[in-house]
Amino acid sequence: MIPITADQLAAAVGCTRALAATWAPYLAHAYRLADISTLARLAPFLAQTGHESAGFSTTTENLSYSAERIADLATKARPGTRWRSLGPRAAELARQPAKLANAAYGGRMGNRDEASGDGWRYRGRGLIQNTGRANYEAVRDGLRALGIADCPDFVALPDALSEPRWAALAAAMYWREHDLNALADAGDFDAITRRINGGAAGAADRRERYERAKKALRGVR
């Protein structure tokens, strides 16, 4: 594991030192869990989690979107995807985060239908925004299989995934299960973005964070 201080973490992520100090011990465990043992792996991990969590400031997805934002996301989404289908419902779903989550995530990713409320219940949480009942189950089962016996049942207690310890370890599980170290070792940052996001949403911010992390961590051993 690469030892980095709270000051270095704050510089790499662009957050306050106090926030970095809160996250540092949980991230140290996450690095070990996902074998994030080189700077080539650490910089993209911090960049991607930093983007998904707005610099470690939030661990629960914000879906309070304007009608214009929903329409824009629908236009940019791939044809045939759920987000693409929400364009005509933009006015109906605007500034109604629960309704939007249920429309966007209901009936997929292990969730029951839109009316069930699962889309909202299992919206994006954690440092890498794990989304959907099936992914909550996978994080729970994966962490328990690695010997973390006190891991909560995130299906029954979804809010627990927003807590710093579990938010960090959930990101590590995602990184590990999606073999993102191989892409990091190859220096293919954009492929990491696609594997996490399914597209290129936020690509400019992710790239800016990547360059910041590399600069801040330069020389760390």
Side-chain angles (χ1 to χ4, degrees), residues 51-157:
H51 171 80
E52 295 290 344
S53 65
F56 292 179
S57 67
T58 182
T59 53
T60 303
E61 186 175 15
N62 174 18
L63 288 155
S64 183
Y65 296 166
S66 67
E68 293 75 17
R69 174 85 185 279
I70 296 169
D72 182 59
L73 289 170
T75 299
K76 292 177 178 176
R78 297 189 305 277
T81 61
R82 178 68 62 82
W83 276 102
R84 185 66 172 256
S85 74
L86 298 182
R89 300 178 62 184
E92 169 201 349
L93 300 172
R95 302 304 180 195
Q96 298 196 59
K99 195 169 184 178
L100 176 57
N102 290 327
Y105 303 139
R108 64 193 189 98
M109 298 182 291
N111 293 334
R112 293 169 293 176
D113 65 16
E114 183 174 339
S116 72
D118 277 1
W120 175 248
R121 190 171 297 112
Y122 304 117
R123 64 195 181 277
R125 286 189 177 90
L127 282 183
I128 219 160
Q129 296 291 286
N130 303 76
T131 306
R133 181 185 176 119
N135 287 317
Y136 279 47
E137 291 175 343
V139 172
R140 175 200 65 197
D141 295 346
L143 291 176
R144 289 178 177 177
L146 290 171
I148 302 176
D150 63 338
C151 176
D153 179 358
F154 299 120
V155 174
L157 301 168

Side-chain angles (χ1 to χ4, degrees), residues 190-213:
D190 293 335
I192 295 174
T193 295
R194 290 191 296 273
R195 197 161 293 181
I196 291 172
N197 176 257
D205 181 68
R206 294 173 198 268
R207 173 64 64 173
E208 181 180 334
R209 289 179 179 279
Y210 182 43
E211 297 303 326
R212 174 194 293 148

Side-chain angles (χ1 to χ4, degrees), residues 7-81:
D7 287 330
Q8 290 165 332
L9 180 60
V13 175
C15 65
T16 65
R17 188 192 184 284
L19 198 55
T22 296
W23 282 99
Y26 304 117
L27 287 169
H29 190 182
Y31 306 150
R32 293 194 300 272
L33 194 69
D35 192 24
I36 299 171
S37 54
T38 67
L39 291 180
R41 296 176 180 183
L42 181 58
F45 179 81
L46 293 178
Q48 295 289 353
T49 54
H51 171 80
E52 295 290 344
S53 65
F56 292 179
S57 67
T58 182
T59 53
T60 303
E61 186 175 15
N62 174 18
L63 288 155
S64 183
Y65 296 166
S66 67
E68 293 75 17
R69 174 85 185 279
I70 296 169
D72 182 59
L73 289 170
T75 299
K76 292 177 178 176
R78 297 189 305 277
T81 61

